[in-house]
Amino acid sequence: MKDIKEYNHLEVESKHSQRWLSLAIYHSPKPNPKNRFSVVIPPPNVTGSLHMGHALNITLQDIVCRWQRMLGKDVVWVPGFDHAGIATQYVVDKKVQEEGKNRLEMGREEFLKRVWEWVPQSRNSIRDQLVKLGASVDWKRERFTLDEGFSRLVRYAFKRLYEEGLIYRGEYIVNWCPKDLTALSDLEVEHEEEEGKLYYIRYPLEGEEGFITVATTRPETMLGDTAVAVHPEDERYKALVGKKVRLPFVNRVIPIIADERVKPEFGTGAVKITPAHDPLDFEIGKTHGLEMVQIMDEFARINENGGEFAGLDRYEARKRIVQRLEELGLLEKVENHRHSVGKCYRCKTVLEPMVSTQWFVKVSDPRIKERAVQAVLGFLQKKGKETNLQILYTQGLEVTLRVVKDHQTKLVVFIKEGVEFVVGKKDGEISYIYVPEGREDLLQIAKDLGEQFSKANLVVKVKDGAVLIREGLEEKLTGSLLFIADQEGLKLEDKLLESGEVFLEAVQKSLKVKWERNQKVWEEERRVRFVPENWKKIYLQWMENLRDWCISRQIWWGHRIPVWYCKDCGHINVFTDDDFDRVYDKLIFNLLADGKIKEEFTPEEVEAVLKSPSFVHPELTVLEFYKKFVFHKYHATDVSAHSLRLFFTQDLNPTALITNRRSRYRYNPQTKKFRFVLYCKKCGSENLEWERDVLDTWFSSALWPFGVFGYPENTEDLKSLYPTNLLVTGFDIIFFWVARMIMMGMFLWKIFPLRMFIYTLL
């Protein structure tokens, strides 16, 4: 007997996972829409390695997918990775700093080169972990939230939302990270309870003796105060409302106002209002028309509005201000105070609320909010389709049923006479009925039986018996019989006669055909189901208190916002490749918008990029990736430097000049390079400036479940695989990710994720 060696998991994992990978045994190229089970992996960030939470998540998905395959389903489990904007930039920035370099000195282009050098290493490490876990994903469908297809989809989604008034640009109070130098959405803020101080500061009344004392945890922000507020019902301060105080250090005279949002029980009941550095103060400031004085720069240092404290870090400024207040006799007292402090979810830096011009999605709009709520509450939706029923009136109908298995006939049933009707079904609907001429009374019975046996594809009713022949032996059946053919085989009533595929042969003396066209209407419940169910309630509560989603980030790694500002007329232009008709124009625009080619380029540089290996699928070129995963067409299109040069210069020929057609390409004889020209959609100017901010990572993640199947193109995968059947994810990203996927799916697709079950890991 051969000795059993000690189990070596490294050897076993490597051997079998590589074999599965090389054979692509989990690839389902053309899944049957009627028999499919689709899942998208929650894409892990490319910033590190998988942890135990990922392993648990992948294992649960893998169990379900393998089980569904055992049930005979066409399973499509799509893998992929998230570009993780802030997190990835943070990691690479640290590496750059370790080299004694500075990201800002390097510049955008050079820094992004470094990111693209590092990302494949990290991505491949995570990919190897997924392979070794034995995850039965379809690697031929792998995607990346910053690949050419997703970048194109992000621009498309942004344009749709913008044109429908659901994306806007405006001044708003945002959560600013002075380390990562970017705004964060409310969901990206981590609140931690900390021991702090509550400072009681006296503000001298203007034009009379006395003062009003305010309480604050952040005395440095007093430099930006533009009012003091009290509750209108607070008897202590009613006589002071309408009067003014003089703000220490900056000598600004500010009013005392009354507002119901002030909490009389906090501190002294009088609060300082700093509209540019506090969310509630911002709202109060808008209500009362207060000035917004910003007193910090992007690094959280006091700016020129801070008078004698200008140039100090916020915490150093706090110490100095408290010291000066004591010297002036304006610091009444200091108390210990435990309070919640907002921190960056990535670098843990204490955030600074600041008024800034940002881009927002109006998620509070009913067109987004109500649909996302309805998707989870569920509702009955009427559906309908036209059915065509062929009725064949016969004389002398004879029927033969053959059961075939493994290319061999296992059973034959002969019915020479006494056939009352034959019902044939296709895709669950009755498609034809054979019935004896003059027996209209049997039609309704035939239809009822066809509906009753919902899984059958053939129903045959006989009144005078039949003959069965199996392996050369004949058996006679008498009396009234009902034969049913379904996926299992041929049955007599509920008894299985033989398993296999059933074929019908019908012979008749005469035949008359009639068509019935009917409109079938039914109701279906559509909803997203949470497991455990308690997360449904939490989701709905969160949806009731939505604030508009800040989607702009002041970083470099990510999807650059597809907005070009006209410097002549001020118009905001949003471009996608839908603005261009020619294939080459679409390619060049996408390459530019993705940062794959510079503002000026040569045909050779474009060819080199298009013929380089794809980041996601190195077995394909970038051009082949465009054809297969982005456009899903133009398969005959080839690109060479020669063909590009001819194309770029054709706009400059005499014919084009005569027709006054605007040239899309401009040649620079000094650099010997071309430039792709965008024109203002309002005034036609070329003087456009591209927005420098990028989009929140969660914006592209919200498009993940339909983007992987080819949206915005109307692909076969999209029609057959979306919505998905299952999502397994953590409860901590229900609002970051799940809610936004539902919002975007409901708005862009107007499809309720009927088959999406969300299992939340505790």
Side-chain angles (χ1 to χ4, degrees), residues 7-109:
Y7 177 72
N8 185 332
H9 71 92
L10 294 175
E11 182 183 316
V12 172
E13 287 173 358
S14 178
K15 174 185 173 182
H16 291 291
S17 61
Q18 287 304 319
R19 184 172 64 86
W20 296 344
L21 191 61
S22 61
L23 295 175
I25 61 175
Y26 301 116
H27 178 49
S28 182
K30 291 186 178 179
N32 179 357
K34 301 286 185 182
N35 190 45
R36 59 79 162 178
F37 187 85
S38 67
V39 183
V40 293
I41 195 172
N45 290 347
V46 291
T47 47
S49 56
L50 302 184
H51 50 64
M52 286 299 291
H54 289 113
L56 172 61
N57 190 327
I58 295 298
T59 301
L60 291 173
Q61 293 176 73
D62 197 37
I63 290 169
V64 176
C65 287
R66 290 178 185 274
W67 171 49
Q68 291 295 321
R69 288 190 190 98
M70 292 177 185
L71 295 176
K73 297 286 183 70
D74 288 348
V75 174
V76 174
W77 184 13
V78 181
F81 303 90
D82 195 293
H83 68 278
I86 293 175
T88 302
Q89 177 152 322
Y90 178 73
V91 170
V92 178
D93 199 9
K94 276 185 72 175
K95 292 181 180 294
V96 167
Q97 290 173 31
E98 288 167 5
E99 297 170 6
K101 298 177 182 176
N102 183 294
R103 168 174 65 90
L104 299 176
E105 291 173 0
M106 287 176 71
R108 186 176 200 137
E109 188 178 318

Side-chain angles (χ1 to χ4, degrees), residues 2 45 64 99 107 145 147 204 218 293-294 311 358 394 411 419 482 505-506 579 710:
K2 189 177 179 180
N45 290 347
V64 176
E99 297 170 6
T145 57
D147 70 29
R218 300 196 302 154
V293 180
Q294 193 148 316
Q358 302 286 343
T394 67
L411 174 67
V419 178
L482 183 65
E505 295 173 9
D579 292 298

Side-chain angles (χ1 to χ4, degrees), residues 645 652 665-675:
R645 192 174 297 278
L652 303 175
Y665 299 90
R666 196 64 47 78
Y667 182 68
N668 185 338
Q670 293 180 327
T671 60
K672 296 182 180 179
K673 293 187 175 186
F674 291 89
R675 183 167 63 89

